[in-house]
PDB file of all heavy atoms in Angstrom:
ATOM      1  N   ARG L 338      15.952  -8.936  15.028  1.00 81.00           N
ATOM      2  CA  ARG L 338      15.025  -7.806  14.743  1.00 81.00           C
ATOM      3  C   ARG L 338      13.686  -8.336  14.341  1.00 81.00           C
ATOM      4  O   ARG L 338      13.088  -7.776  13.377  1.00 81.00           O
ATOM      5  CB  ARG L 338      15.633  -6.909  13.665  1.00 81.00           C
ATOM      6  CG  ARG L 338      16.915  -6.309  14.073  1.00 81.00           C
ATOM      7  CD  ARG L 338      17.639  -5.649  12.877  1.00 81.00           C
ATOM      8  NE  ARG L 338      17.007  -4.328  12.591  1.00 81.00           N
ATOM      9  CZ  ARG L 338      17.248  -3.256  13.264  1.00 81.00           C
ATOM     10  NH1 ARG L 338      18.064  -3.287  14.294  1.00 81.00           N
ATOM     11  NH2 ARG L 338      16.742  -2.073  12.956  1.00 81.00           N
ATOM     12  N   GLY L 339      13.176  -9.351  15.002  1.00 83.00           N
ATOM     13  CA  GLY L 339      11.800  -9.848  14.703  1.00 83.00           C
ATOM     14  C   GLY L 339      11.667 -10.342  13.262  1.00 83.00           C
ATOM     15  O   GLY L 339      10.583 -10.404  12.694  1.00 83.00           O
ATOM     16  N   GLY L 340      12.791 -10.754  12.694  1.00 82.00           N
ATOM     17  CA  GLY L 340      12.744 -11.283  11.365  1.00 82.00           C
ATOM     18  C   GLY L 340      12.466 -10.219  10.317  1.00 82.00           C
ATOM     19  O   GLY L 340      12.067 -10.468   9.178  1.00 82.00           O
ATOM     20  N   SER L 341      12.684  -8.914  10.669  1.00 76.00           N
ATOM     21  CA  SER L 341      12.340  -7.821   9.758  1.00 76.00           C
ATOM     22  C   SER L 341      13.229  -7.834   8.530  1.00 76.00           C
ATOM     23  O   SER L 341      14.380  -8.158   8.586  1.00 76.00           O
ATOM     24  CB  SER L 341      12.481  -6.535  10.575  1.00 76.00           C
ATOM     25  OG  SER L 341      12.432  -5.463   9.618  1.00 76.00           O
ATOM     26  N   ALA L 342      12.587  -7.397   7.403  1.00 68.00           N
ATOM     27  CA  ALA L 342      13.295  -7.349   6.159  1.00 68.00           C
ATOM     28  C   ALA L 342      14.370  -6.187   6.167  1.00 68.00           C
ATOM     29  O   ALA L 342      15.146  -6.086   5.260  1.00 68.00           O
ATOM     30  CB  ALA L 342      12.352  -7.109   5.000  1.00 68.00           C
ATOM     31  N   ASP L 343      14.333  -5.376   7.194  1.00 62.00           N
ATOM     32  CA  ASP L 343      15.298  -4.240   7.262  1.00 62.00           C
ATOM     33  C   ASP L 343      16.706  -4.705   7.705  1.00 62.00           C
ATOM     34  O   ASP L 343      17.632  -3.991   7.780  1.00 62.00           O
ATOM     35  CB  ASP L 343      14.844  -3.134   8.196  1.00 62.00           C
ATOM     36  CG  ASP L 343      15.027  -3.442   9.651  1.00 62.00           C
ATOM     37  OD1 ASP L 343      15.360  -4.596   9.967  1.00 62.00           O
ATOM     38  OD2 ASP L 343      14.856  -2.571  10.451  1.00 62.00           O
ATOM     39  N   SER L 344      16.782  -6.040   7.943  1.00 58.00           N
ATOM     40  CA  SER L 344      18.067  -6.547   8.478  1.00 58.00           C
ATOM     41  C   SER L 344      19.073  -6.870   7.310  1.00 58.00           C
ATOM     42  O   SER L 344      20.201  -7.305   7.578  1.00 58.00           O
ATOM     43  CB  SER L 344      17.802  -7.832   9.213  1.00 58.00           C
ATOM     44  OG  SER L 344      17.307  -8.806   8.390  1.00 58.00           O
ATOM     45  N   GLY L 345      18.727  -6.657   6.099  1.00 62.00           N
ATOM     46  CA  GLY L 345      19.709  -6.901   5.086  1.00 62.00           C
ATOM     47  C   GLY L 345      19.083  -6.811   3.699  1.00 62.00           C
ATOM     48  O   GLY L 345      17.971  -6.273   3.478  1.00 62.00           O
ATOM     49  N   THR L 346      19.799  -7.347   2.699  1.00 65.00           N
ATOM     50  CA  THR L 346      19.287  -7.220   1.344  1.00 65.00           C
ATOM     51  C   THR L 346      18.388  -8.439   1.006  1.00 65.00           C
ATOM     52  O   THR L 346      18.490  -9.499   1.658  1.00 65.00           O
ATOM     53  CB  THR L 346      20.475  -7.285   0.393  1.00 65.00           C
ATOM     54  OG1 THR L 346      20.848  -8.651   0.223  1.00 65.00           O
ATOM     55  CG2 THR L 346      21.653  -6.505   0.864  1.00 65.00           C
ATOM     56  N   PRO L 347      17.503  -8.241   0.052  1.00 70.00           N
ATOM     57  CA  PRO L 347      16.622  -9.409  -0.307  1.00 70.00           C
ATOM     58  C   PRO L 347      17.340 -10.383  -1.231  1.00 70.00           C
ATOM     59  O   PRO L 347      16.743 -11.404  -1.532  1.00 70.00           O
ATOM     60  CB  PRO L 347      15.447  -8.717  -1.025  1.00 70.00           C
ATOM     61  CG  PRO L 347      16.005  -7.458  -1.583  1.00 70.00           C
ATOM     62  CD  PRO L 347      17.110  -7.010  -0.649  1.00 70.00           C
ATOM     63  N   TYR L 348      18.537 -10.061  -1.691  1.00 75.00           N
ATOM     64  CA  TYR L 348      19.116 -10.849  -2.775  1.00 75.00           C
ATOM     65  C   TYR L 348      19.269 -12.364  -2.440  1.00 75.00           C
ATOM     66  O   TYR L 348      18.971 -13.196  -3.251  1.00 75.00           O
ATOM     67  CB  TYR L 348      20.485 -10.297  -3.170  1.00 75.00           C
ATOM     68  CG  TYR L 348      20.401  -8.853  -3.658  1.00 75.00           C
ATOM     69  CD1 TYR L 348      21.386  -7.953  -3.256  1.00 75.00           C
ATOM     70  CD2 TYR L 348      19.369  -8.447  -4.439  1.00 75.00           C
ATOM     71  CE1 TYR L 348      21.348  -6.636  -3.655  1.00 75.00           C
ATOM     72  CE2 TYR L 348      19.272  -7.130  -4.812  1.00 75.00           C
ATOM     73  CZ  TYR L 348      20.262  -6.231  -4.446  1.00 75.00           C
ATOM     74  OH  TYR L 348      20.179  -4.905  -4.809  1.00 75.00           O
ATOM     75  N   PRO L 349      19.721 -12.687  -1.196  1.00 80.00           N
ATOM     76  CA  PRO L 349      19.946 -14.175  -0.956  1.00 80.00           C
ATOM     77  C   PRO L 349      18.658 -14.940  -1.169  1.00 80.00           C
ATOM     78  O   PRO L 349      18.648 -16.055  -1.663  1.00 80.00           O
ATOM     79  CB  PRO L 349      20.392 -14.197   0.519  1.00 80.00           C
ATOM     80  CG  PRO L 349      20.964 -12.866   0.740  1.00 80.00           C
ATOM     81  CD  PRO L 349      20.170 -11.891  -0.098  1.00 80.00           C
ATOM     82  N   ARG L 350      17.494 -14.324  -0.807  1.00 81.00           N
ATOM     83  CA  ARG L 350      16.258 -15.025  -0.903  1.00 81.00           C
ATOM     84  C   ARG L 350      15.740 -15.108  -2.321  1.00 81.00           C
ATOM     85  O   ARG L 350      15.210 -16.096  -2.765  1.00 81.00           O
ATOM     86  CB  ARG L 350      15.187 -14.377   0.043  1.00 81.00           C
ATOM     87  CG  ARG L 350      15.635 -14.402   1.461  1.00 81.00           C
ATOM     88  CD  ARG L 350      14.876 -13.399   2.308  1.00 81.00           C
ATOM     89  NE  ARG L 350      13.448 -13.658   2.160  1.00 81.00           N
ATOM     90  CZ  ARG L 350      12.532 -12.707   2.171  1.00 81.00           C
ATOM     91  NH1 ARG L 350      12.894 -11.450   2.356  1.00 81.00           N
ATOM     92  NH2 ARG L 350      11.285 -13.020   2.048  1.00 81.00           N
ATOM     93  N   VAL L 351      15.957 -14.031  -3.070  1.00 82.00           N
ATOM     94  CA  VAL L 351      15.627 -14.039  -4.482  1.00 82.00           C
ATOM     95  C   VAL L 351      16.529 -15.098  -5.195  1.00 82.00           C
ATOM     96  O   VAL L 351      16.018 -15.880  -6.009  1.00 82.00           O
ATOM     97  CB  VAL L 351      15.874 -12.619  -5.127  1.00 82.00           C
ATOM     98  CG1 VAL L 351      15.604 -12.680  -6.601  1.00 82.00           C
ATOM     99  CG2 VAL L 351      14.934 -11.648  -4.457  1.00 82.00           C
ATOM    100  N   GLU L 352      17.747 -15.151  -4.729  1.00 86.00           N
ATOM    101  CA  GLU L 352      18.736 -16.039  -5.366  1.00 86.00           C
ATOM    102  C   GLU L 352      18.294 -17.516  -5.210  1.00 86.00           C
ATOM    103  O   GLU L 352      18.371 -18.261  -6.156  1.00 86.00           O
ATOM    104  CB  GLU L 352      20.082 -15.841  -4.639  1.00 86.00           C
ATOM    105  CG  GLU L 352      21.276 -16.347  -5.382  1.00 86.00           C
ATOM    106  CD  GLU L 352      21.554 -15.465  -6.629  1.00 86.00           C
ATOM    107  OE1 GLU L 352      21.167 -14.258  -6.634  1.00 86.00           O
ATOM    108  OE2 GLU L 352      22.137 -16.031  -7.577  1.00 86.00           O
ATOM    109  N   VAL L 353      17.852 -17.904  -4.005  1.00 90.00           N
ATOM    110  CA  VAL L 353      17.482 -19.304  -3.852  1.00 90.00           C
ATOM    111  C   VAL L 353      16.170 -19.646  -4.552  1.00 90.00           C
ATOM    112  O   VAL L 353      16.013 -20.762  -5.002  1.00 90.00           O
ATOM    113  CB  VAL L 353      17.431 -19.765  -2.336  1.00 90.00           C
ATOM    114  CG1 VAL L 353      18.848 -19.948  -1.787  1.00 90.00           C
ATOM    115  CG2 VAL L 353      16.564 -18.905  -1.514  1.00 90.00           C
ATOM    116  N   ALA L 354      15.225 -18.665  -4.563  1.00 91.00           N
ATOM    117  CA  ALA L 354      14.027 -18.944  -5.294  1.00 91.00           C
ATOM    118  C   ALA L 354      14.318 -19.154  -6.788  1.00 91.00           C
ATOM    119  O   ALA L 354      13.741 -20.046  -7.397  1.00 91.00           O
ATOM    120  CB  ALA L 354      13.021 -17.751  -5.113  1.00 91.00           C
ATOM    121  N   TRP L 355      15.220 -18.329  -7.294  1.00 90.00           N
ATOM    122  CA  TRP L 355      15.712 -18.510  -8.659  1.00 90.00           C
ATOM    123  C   TRP L 355      16.276 -19.891  -8.872  1.00 90.00           C
ATOM    124  O   TRP L 355      15.973 -20.557  -9.873  1.00 90.00           O
ATOM    125  CB  TRP L 355      16.748 -17.407  -8.962  1.00 90.00           C
ATOM    126  CG  TRP L 355      17.377 -17.472 -10.294  1.00 90.00           C
ATOM    127  CD1 TRP L 355      18.426 -18.274 -10.693  1.00 90.00           C
ATOM    128  CD2 TRP L 355      17.012 -16.716 -11.454  1.00 90.00           C
ATOM    129  NE1 TRP L 355      18.705 -18.101 -11.992  1.00 90.00           N
ATOM    130  CE2 TRP L 355      17.853 -17.129 -12.487  1.00 90.00           C
ATOM    131  CE3 TRP L 355      16.047 -15.753 -11.701  1.00 90.00           C
ATOM    132  CZ2 TRP L 355      17.776 -16.631 -13.774  1.00 90.00           C
ATOM    133  CZ3 TRP L 355      15.990 -15.232 -13.007  1.00 90.00           C
ATOM    134  CH2 TRP L 355      16.830 -15.649 -14.001  1.00 90.00           C
ATOM    135  N   LEU L 356      17.125 -20.265  -7.938  1.00 93.00           N
ATOM    136  CA  LEU L 356      17.842 -21.580  -7.999  1.00 93.00           C
ATOM    137  C   LEU L 356      16.843 -22.715  -8.037  1.00 93.00           C
ATOM    138  O   LEU L 356      16.978 -23.665  -8.810  1.00 93.00           O
ATOM    139  CB  LEU L 356      18.738 -21.682  -6.798  1.00 93.00           C
ATOM    140  CG  LEU L 356      19.963 -22.614  -6.858  1.00 93.00           C
ATOM    141  CD1 LEU L 356      20.883 -22.204  -8.029  1.00 93.00           C
ATOM    142  CD2 LEU L 356      20.756 -22.511  -5.538  1.00 93.00           C
ATOM    143  N   ALA L 357      15.783 -22.582  -7.272  1.00 95.00           N
ATOM    144  CA  ALA L 357      14.722 -23.638  -7.203  1.00 95.00           C
ATOM    145  C   ALA L 357      14.117 -23.796  -8.562  1.00 95.00           C
ATOM    146  O   ALA L 357      13.878 -24.893  -9.038  1.00 95.00           O
ATOM    147  CB  ALA L 357      13.703 -23.306  -6.143  1.00 95.00           C
TER     148      ALA L 357
END
Side-chain angles (χ1 to χ4, degrees):
Chain L
R338 300 169 78 78
S341 168
D343 76 351
S344 65
T346 80
Y348 303 138
R350 298 164 55 214
V351 175
E352 200 70 25
V353 286
W355 176 278
L356 205 55

